[in-house]
Amino acid sequence: MFRYYVVAIIAFAVDQLIKWSVATYMDIGQKIPLIPGFIQLTSIRNRGAAFGILQNQRLFFILVTAIVLIGGTTEVLVKKGHSMDFFYIYNPFYSVG
């Protein structure tokens, strides 16, 4: 269980650092090539879900995330016969997304 928290904290910290860096140092619409011709970092502001749906519905997203995490965690803990690797790898990244 300790690994779960370590991975979750690291992923959360990296995610927040990148978001803060983009918001602080990049103008909206600015692009920075990470791998030229393949991947670029583009500064945008999206207050909704994918493609801007459900704009400014933060409470809704928090509730849905909490329900999914609690349900998923409960299922994994109840069915201990399954591999816990899925729990340790998937849940931390889903939690910080």
Side-chain angles (χ1 to χ4, degrees):
M1 191 65 147
F2 178 73
R3 289 187 301 171
Y4 166 79
Y5 292 110
V6 170
V7 171
I9 290 169
I10 291 170
F12 178 78
V14 169
D15 177 62
Q16 293 302 306
L17 178 64
I18 291 170
K19 289 177 183 175
W20 174 82
S21 297
V22 168
T24 303
Y25 296 110
M26 292 179 69
D27 296 324
I28 294 176
Q30 181 180 354
K31 299 175 182 182
I32 298 174
L34 300 177
I35 301 175
F38 186 65
I39 295 176
Q40 66 184 9
L41 181 65
T42 304
S43 176
I44 62 167
R45 302 300 183 268
N46 179 10
R47 303 212 181 271
F51 310 110
I53 61 173
L54 297 171
Q55 288 281 329
N56 298 314
Q57 298 296 319
R58 184 175 181 160
L59 180 60
F60 171 76
F61 291 119
I62 290 171
L63 290 174
V64 169
T65 301
I67 290 167
V68 169
L69 286 174
I70 291 168
T73 302
T74 302
E75 181 179 354
V76 168
L77 295 177
V78 168
K79 297 179 178 182
K80 289 187 178 182
H82 291 281
S83 171
M84 291 298 284
D85 290 339
F86 175 79
F87 176 75
Y88 291 122
I89 294 169
Y90 169 76
N91 249 5
F93 291 106
Y94 187 80
S95 302
V96 302

